[in-house]
Amino acid sequence: MGPLILGHAYPPVLQAVQDALRDGTAFGAPTAREVQFARRLCEAFPGVERVRAVSSGTEATMTAIRLARAFTGRTKILKFDGCYHGHSDSLLVRAGSGALTFGVPNSPGVPEALASQTLVAPFNDGEQVQAWFAANGDEIAAVIIEPIAGNMGVVPPAPGFLEGLREVTAAHGALLVFDEVITGFRLTYGGVQTLRGIRPDLTCLGKIIGGGLPLAALAGPAEIMGRLAPVGPVYQAGTLSGNPLAVAAGLEMLTQLQRPGVYPRLEELGARLEDGVRGVLQRRRVRGCINRVGSMWTLFFGVDEVTDAATAEASDTQLFARYFRGMLAEGIYLPPSAFESAFVSLAHSDADIDLTIEAADRVLAALA
Ligand code: PMP
């Protein structure tokens, strides 16, 4: 699922948790480590001046939406088909009956009244975004996006797509929320915003920043973040938010990720895997494509290109299921869905990558 970019049970992270454990595990108040942790995030992301620690990505995005609604005085939000932002009601929505239809809940239990406030556009479809703003521009509080999608499988943004979102939201007074729960510290020290030089209004972080413990964060400029309680009126709280063990793990994780060579090495491992698996597809005459950015990647069967949820869903999920089971029998634990990102970690060696490629070759030979 992506938090363990250094691998399981990474000794310095375990040590940091053990040290913190002796100091106590819950105080209902920020601790010194939480403040240090917040400072690190401010340093890593241009434009981030305030950080609110929470315990899950779901809480970070849920709070981002509440804050955006309060800040703009508007109710609608725009999300992208196939993007996952956790399981709060407003965000469990995709375009059920066409991109121009108002939101349809895709989980029982999400009230239609709430879902209808969530507009949905296809990922990479700037024209549909423009159309939503043309029709509802003064009602849209925020656009929320995974700037590199990981939850329909990996789908990178087309050139200019994210820049277009920045422009249209700014022009209409809506906030741009980057959900970097997966991509934060996955591809560089920082996020997709760092790589692309795009400044969102709010950033949601999770996974890697907690070093494998329950920690996530909402971050942004003081002007917006200052509206959160207790300084401002927008309520948010959590008994275990910024938990001392979690922030200790997160701080050590961030320290480790600042070592030189971390991200080039992850790119090297990812490229090795991509090349190898692509070779297997060719050798075994299996139609498919690999979407990879750095150490996050997805193999889609039966399609030549995946650029959004519709093309992801056109892939052969039956074959993926058989491939998944075959790989598991080989000792390789892939994410158990065709619509998830797989991750390479720094704990993987070249030999691990080669074993994975050999296993894929045996599995696909048997399936073909
Ligand atoms: N946003 C994104 C992009 C995610 O991938 C996830 C989790 N897969 C979440 C939000 C929700 O995070 P959590 O599971 O910690 O609630």
Side-chain angles (χ1 to χ4, degrees):
M1 298 292 164
L4 299 175
I5 193 168
L6 303 173
H8 290 278
Y10 193 72
V13 172
L14 295 191
Q15 188 59 53
V17 175
Q18 279 165 10
D19 293 346
L21 191 55
R22 279 190 285 272
D23 296 336
T25 59
F27 299 96
T31 58
R33 286 189 188 89
E34 183 178 346
V35 177
Q36 284 170 32
F37 175 77
R39 289 216 173 97
R40 290 283 193 90
L41 295 186
C42 292
E43 286 158 17
F45 294 93
V48 166
E49 298 167 327
R50 297 278 187 280
V51 172
R52 175 62 51 99
V54 290
S55 300
S56 68
T58 297
E59 283 180 85
T61 54
M62 179 182 75
T63 305
I65 295 306
R66 184 179 307 134
L67 184 56
R69 284 175 165 155
F71 186 78
T72 59
R74 303 172 178 180
T75 46
K76 289 194 182 356
I77 56 172
L78 174 57
K79 74 175 283 292
F80 293 89
D81 189 9
C83 281
Y84 178 71
H85 304 291
H87 57 90
S88 71
D89 285 346
S90 289
L91 292 166
L92 264 190
V93 176
R94 63 182 299 172
S97 50
L100 281 170
T101 314
F102 273 95
V104 173
N106 71 351
S107 167
V110 175
E112 183 61 38
L114 203 53
S116 67
Q117 301 305 309
T118 302
L119 313 175
V120 182
F123 196 81
N124 277 329
D125 188 344
E127 280 178 24
Q128 184 56 53
V129 173
Q130 294 289 347
W132 276 127
F133 270 96
N136 303 266
D138 54 359
E139 295 175 71
I140 299 175
V143 172
I144 183 166
I145 188 162
E146 295 175 67
I148 292 172
N151 284 294
M152 52 186 118
V154 172
V155 180
F161 177 60
L162 296 176
E163 289 79 0
L165 296 182
R166 181 61 286 182
E167 278 165 31
V168 73
T169 46
H172 288 272
L175 301 191
L176 180 60
V177 182
F178 272 9
D179 178 351
E180 301 227 47
V181 165
I182 287 179
T183 54
F185 301 97
R186 167 58 57 186
L187 306 166
T188 186
Y189 192 84
V192 177
Q193 55 193 280
T194 321
L195 290 174
R196 294 292 186 97
I198 300 171
R199 196 174 289 189
D201 298 297
L202 289 172
T203 300
C204 303
L205 297 162
K207 297 191 191 273
I208 288 174
I209 64 161
L213 272 80
L215 180 63
L218 176 62
E223 185 198 5
I224 304 174
M225 294 295 290
R227 305 285 176 100
L228 279 179
V231 176
V234 181
Y235 194 69
Q236 188 282 333
T239 303
L240 296 175
S241 289
N243 178 262
L245 303 187
V247 289
L251 263 179
E252 186 57 34
M253 178 68 118
L254 295 183
T255 301
Q256 295 294 327
L257 292 177
Q258 278 181 303
R259 284 179 316 176
V262 164
Y263 292 99
R265 174 64 182 150
L266 286 165
E267 167 61 29
E268 198 175 77
L269 288 165
R272 187 182 186 97
L273 186 64
E274 178 185 351
D275 289 350
V277 174
R278 182 163 288 132
V280 170
L281 290 178
Q282 277 159 6
R283 193 158 51 249
R284 297 300 167 194
R285 297 182 194 287
V286 176
R287 187 177 168 203
C289 70
I290 301 168
N291 280 1
R292 177 185 72 87
V293 185
S295 56
M296 52 191 284
W297 64 285
T298 301
L299 166 57
F300 295 99
F301 289 111
V303 287
D304 299 322
E305 195 184 37
V306 172
T307 56
D308 58 12
T311 44
E313 278 166 340
S315 70
D316 186 343
T317 55
Q318 298 293 322
L319 182 54
F320 180 87
R322 291 160 67 205
Y323 173 72
F324 169 81
R325 292 199 185 92
M327 290 296 277
L328 195 58
E330 290 273 354
I332 312 285
Y333 182 30
L334 292 168
S337 157
F339 307 124
E340 296 263 11
S341 172
F343 298 99
V344 177
S345 83
L346 272 187
H348 291 120
S349 63
D350 286 351
D352 292 326
I353 299 295
D354 294 345
L355 282 174
T356 307
I357 296 164
E358 286 158 28
D361 189 58
R362 281 190 294 275
V363 170
L364 286 179
L367 290 178

Short mmCIF file of all heavy atoms in Angstrom, two decimals, residues 19-51:
data_model
loop_
_atom_site.label_atom_id
_atom_site.label_comp_id
_atom_site.label_asym_id
_atom_site.label_seq_id
_atom_site.Cartn_x
_atom_site.Cartn_y
_atom_site.Cartn_z
N ASP A 19 12.54 4.60 21.24
CA ASP A 19 12.95 5.74 22.07
C ASP A 19 11.73 6.56 22.49
O ASP A 19 11.62 6.97 23.65
CB ASP A 19 13.93 6.65 21.30
CG ASP A 19 15.26 5.96 21.03
OD1 ASP A 19 15.51 4.91 21.66
OD2 ASP A 19 16.02 6.46 20.18
N ALA A 20 10.81 6.78 21.53
CA ALA A 20 9.63 7.58 21.83
C ALA A 20 8.71 6.86 22.81
O ALA A 20 8.07 7.48 23.67
CB ALA A 20 8.87 7.90 20.54
N LEU A 21 8.67 5.55 22.69
CA LEU A 21 7.77 4.73 23.53
C LEU A 21 8.02 4.98 25.02
O LEU A 21 7.09 5.08 25.82
CB LEU A 21 8.03 3.26 23.18
CG LEU A 21 7.10 2.16 23.67
CD1 LEU A 21 5.67 2.45 23.25
CD2 LEU A 21 7.56 0.83 23.08
N ARG A 22 9.29 5.13 25.36
CA ARG A 22 9.64 5.32 26.78
C ARG A 22 9.14 6.66 27.32
O ARG A 22 8.97 6.82 28.51
CB ARG A 22 11.16 5.22 26.96
CG ARG A 22 11.66 3.79 27.03
CD ARG A 22 13.11 3.74 27.45
NE ARG A 22 14.00 4.15 26.37
CZ ARG A 22 14.47 3.32 25.45
NH1 ARG A 22 14.20 2.04 25.52
NH2 ARG A 22 15.24 3.77 24.48
N ASP A 23 8.91 7.61 26.41
CA ASP A 23 8.48 8.95 26.86
C ASP A 23 6.96 9.06 27.04
O ASP A 23 6.46 10.08 27.50
CB ASP A 23 8.92 10.02 25.84
CG ASP A 23 10.42 10.13 25.74
OD1 ASP A 23 11.10 9.75 26.72
OD2 ASP A 23 10.92 10.57 24.69
N GLY A 24 6.24 8.01 26.62
CA GLY A 24 4.77 8.05 26.75
C GLY A 24 4.12 8.06 25.39
O GLY A 24 4.71 8.51 24.40
N THR A 25 2.89 7.57 25.34
CA THR A 25 2.28 7.30 24.04
C THR A 25 1.11 8.20 23.67
O THR A 25 0.65 8.14 22.53
CB THR A 25 1.80 5.84 23.98
OG1 THR A 25 0.85 5.64 25.03
CG2 THR A 25 2.94 4.86 24.13
N ALA A 26 0.59 8.99 24.57
CA ALA A 26 -0.55 9.86 24.21
C ALA A 26 -0.70 10.95 25.27
O ALA A 26 -0.78 10.65 26.46
CB ALA A 26 -1.83 9.05 24.11
N PHE A 27 -0.74 12.18 24.81
CA PHE A 27 -0.83 13.30 25.76
C PHE A 27 -2.01 14.23 25.50
O PHE A 27 -2.27 15.14 26.27
CB PHE A 27 0.47 14.12 25.73
CG PHE A 27 1.68 13.30 26.13
CD1 PHE A 27 2.49 12.73 25.16
CD2 PHE A 27 1.98 13.10 27.46
CE1 PHE A 27 3.59 11.97 25.52
CE2 PHE A 27 3.08 12.34 27.83
CZ PHE A 27 3.89 11.77 26.85
N GLY A 28 -2.68 14.05 24.36
CA GLY A 28 -3.78 14.97 24.03
C GLY A 28 -3.29 16.38 23.80
O GLY A 28 -4.03 17.34 23.95
N ALA A 29 -2.02 16.50 23.45
CA ALA A 29 -1.42 17.80 23.16
C ALA A 29 -0.23 17.55 22.25
O ALA A 29 0.32 16.45 22.26
CB ALA A 29 -0.96 18.48 24.45
N PRO A 30 0.17 18.55 21.47
CA PRO A 30 1.33 18.34 20.62
C PRO A 30 2.58 18.10 21.45
O PRO A 30 2.73 18.67 22.54
CB PRO A 30 1.44 19.66 19.83
CG PRO A 30 0.11 20.30 19.95
CD PRO A 30 -0.43 19.88 21.28
N THR A 31 3.46 17.27 20.92
CA THR A 31 4.75 17.02 21.58
C THR A 31 5.84 17.70 20.76
O THR A 31 5.61 18.12 19.62
CB THR A 31 5.04 15.51 21.65
OG1 THR A 31 5.03 15.00 20.31
CG2 THR A 31 3.99 14.79 22.48
N ALA A 32 7.03 17.76 21.33
CA ALA A 32 8.14 18.43 20.63
C ALA A 32 8.39 17.77 19.27
O ALA A 32 8.63 18.44 18.27
CB ALA A 32 9.39 18.36 21.49
N ARG A 33 8.30 16.43 19.25
CA ARG A 33 8.55 15.75 17.98
C ARG A 33 7.51 16.11 16.92
O ARG A 33 7.81 16.19 15.74
CB ARG A 33 8.56 14.23 18.18
CG ARG A 33 9.79 13.68 18.88
CD ARG A 33 9.79 12.16 18.82
NE ARG A 33 10.83 11.57 19.63
CZ ARG A 33 10.69 11.25 20.92
NH1 ARG A 33 9.55 11.51 21.55
NH2 ARG A 33 11.68 10.69 21.57
N GLU A 34 6.27 16.34 17.36
CA GLU A 34 5.23 16.71 16.39
C GLU A 34 5.55 18.07 15.77
O GLU A 34 5.35 18.29 14.57
CB GLU A 34 3.85 16.74 17.07
CG GLU A 34 2.73 17.04 16.08
CD GLU A 34 1.35 17.04 16.72
OE1 GLU A 34 1.21 16.56 17.86
OE2 GLU A 34 0.41 17.53 16.07
N VAL A 35 6.07 18.98 16.59
CA VAL A 35 6.43 20.30 16.08
C VAL A 35 7.60 20.18 15.09
O VAL A 35 7.58 20.78 14.00
CB VAL A 35 6.78 21.25 17.24
CG1 VAL A 35 7.22 22.61 16.71
CG2 VAL A 35 5.57 21.41 18.16
N GLN A 36 8.59 19.36 15.46
CA GLN A 36 9.71 19.14 14.53
C GLN A 36 9.22 18.54 13.21
O GLN A 36 9.67 18.93 12.13
CB GLN A 36 10.71 18.14 15.13
CG GLN A 36 11.60 18.69 16.21
CD GLN A 36 12.36 17.54 16.88
OE1 GLN A 36 12.69 16.53 16.26
NE2 GLN A 36 12.62 17.68 18.16
N PHE A 37 8.31 17.62 13.34
CA PHE A 37 7.76 16.95 12.16
C PHE A 37 7.06 17.98 11.26
O PHE A 37 7.26 18.00 10.04
CB PHE A 37 6.79 15.87 12.64
CG PHE A 37 6.05 15.18 11.54
CD1 PHE A 37 6.67 14.23 10.75
CD2 PHE A 37 4.72 15.49 11.29
CE1 PHE A 37 5.99 13.59 9.72
CE2 PHE A 37 4.03 14.86 10.27
CZ PHE A 37 4.67 13.91 9.48
N ALA A 38 6.27 18.84 11.85
CA ALA A 38 5.56 19.86 11.08
C ALA A 38 6.56 20.78 10.37
O ALA A 38 6.39 21.14 9.20
CB ALA A 38 4.63 20.66 11.99
N ARG A 39 7.64 21.14 11.08
CA ARG A 39 8.66 22.01 10.46
C ARG A 39 9.28 21.34 9.24
O ARG A 39 9.53 21.98 8.22
CB ARG A 39 9.78 22.31 11.47
CG ARG A 39 9.33 23.24 12.56
CD ARG A 39 10.45 24.22 12.99
NE ARG A 39 9.88 25.18 13.92
CZ ARG A 39 9.98 25.07 15.25
NH1 ARG A 39 10.66 24.07 15.79
NH2 ARG A 39 9.41 25.96 16.03
N ARG A 40 9.51 20.02 9.35
CA ARG A 40 10.10 19.30 8.22
C ARG A 40 9.20 19.38 7.00
O ARG A 40 9.66 19.54 5.88
CB ARG A 40 10.28 17.82 8.56
CG ARG A 40 11.33 17.54 9.55
CD ARG A 40 12.73 17.63 8.91
NE ARG A 40 13.65 17.07 9.84
CZ ARG A 40 13.98 15.77 9.85
NH1 ARG A 40 13.54 14.96 8.92
NH2 ARG A 40 14.77 15.30 10.76
N LEU A 41 7.89 19.26 7.22
CA LEU A 41 6.96 19.33 6.08
C LEU A 41 6.94 20.74 5.51
O LEU A 41 6.88 20.92 4.29
CB LEU A 41 5.56 18.88 6.49
CG LEU A 41 5.42 17.41 6.91
CD1 LEU A 41 3.95 17.06 7.14
CD2 LEU A 41 6.02 16.46 5.88
N CYS A 42 7.03 21.74 6.37
CA CYS A 42 7.07 23.13 5.87
C CYS A 42 8.31 23.35 5.00
O CYS A 42 8.25 24.02 3.98
CB CYS A 42 7.06 24.13 7.02
SG CYS A 42 5.51 24.16 7.95
N GLU A 43 9.42 22.74 5.41
CA GLU A 43 10.65 22.88 4.62
C GLU A 43 10.56 22.15 3.29
O GLU A 43 11.11 22.59 2.28
CB GLU A 43 11.85 22.32 5.41
CG GLU A 43 12.31 23.21 6.55
CD GLU A 43 13.10 22.42 7.61
OE1 GLU A 43 13.56 21.28 7.31
OE2 GLU A 43 13.22 22.93 8.72
N ALA A 44 9.85 21.04 3.29
CA ALA A 44 9.83 20.18 2.10
C ALA A 44 8.90 20.70 1.02
O ALA A 44 9.09 20.41 -0.16
CB ALA A 44 9.43 18.76 2.49
N PHE A 45 7.86 21.44 1.41
CA PHE A 45 6.87 21.88 0.42
C PHE A 45 6.79 23.40 0.39
O PHE A 45 6.33 24.01 1.37
CB PHE A 45 5.48 21.32 0.76
CG PHE A 45 5.39 19.83 0.64
CD1 PHE A 45 5.60 19.02 1.74
CD2 PHE A 45 5.08 19.25 -0.58
CE1 PHE A 45 5.52 17.64 1.63
CE2 PHE A 45 4.99 17.87 -0.70
CZ PHE A 45 5.22 17.06 0.41
N PRO A 46 7.18 24.00 -0.75
CA PRO A 46 7.04 25.45 -0.85
C PRO A 46 5.56 25.82 -0.68
O PRO A 46 4.70 25.13 -1.21
CB PRO A 46 7.49 25.76 -2.29
CG PRO A 46 8.19 24.55 -2.78
CD PRO A 46 7.69 23.39 -1.98
N GLY A 47 5.28 26.85 0.06
CA GLY A 47 3.88 27.25 0.22
C GLY A 47 3.22 26.64 1.45
O GLY A 47 2.14 27.06 1.83
N VAL A 48 3.86 25.64 2.05
CA VAL A 48 3.28 25.06 3.28
C VAL A 48 3.84 25.82 4.49
O VAL A 48 5.05 25.87 4.71
CB VAL A 48 3.58 23.55 3.39
CG1 VAL A 48 3.29 23.04 4.79
CG2 VAL A 48 2.74 22.79 2.37
N GLU A 49 2.92 26.42 5.24
CA GLU A 49 3.30 27.17 6.44
C GLU A 49 2.73 26.57 7.72
O GLU A 49 3.19 26.85 8.82
CB GLU A 49 2.80 28.62 6.33
CG GLU A 49 3.39 29.37 5.16
CD GLU A 49 2.66 30.68 4.87
OE1 GLU A 49 1.42 30.76 5.07
OE2 GLU A 49 3.32 31.63 4.43
N ARG A 50 1.66 25.77 7.56
CA ARG A 50 1.00 25.16 8.72
C ARG A 50 0.69 23.70 8.40
O ARG A 50 0.34 23.38 7.26
CB ARG A 50 -0.32 25.86 9.04
CG ARG A 50 -0.21 27.32 9.42
CD ARG A 50 0.17 27.48 10.90
NE ARG A 50 0.10 28.87 11.28
CZ ARG A 50 1.04 29.78 11.03
NH1 ARG A 50 2.13 29.43 10.36
NH2 ARG A 50 0.89 31.03 11.41
N VAL A 51 0.78 22.87 9.42
CA VAL A 51 0.53 21.44 9.26
C VAL A 51 -0.42 20.97 10.34
O VAL A 51 -0.26 21.34 11.51
CB VAL A 51 1.86 20.65 9.35
CG1 VAL A 51 1.61 19.15 9.40
CG2 VAL A 51 2.79 21.01 8.20
#
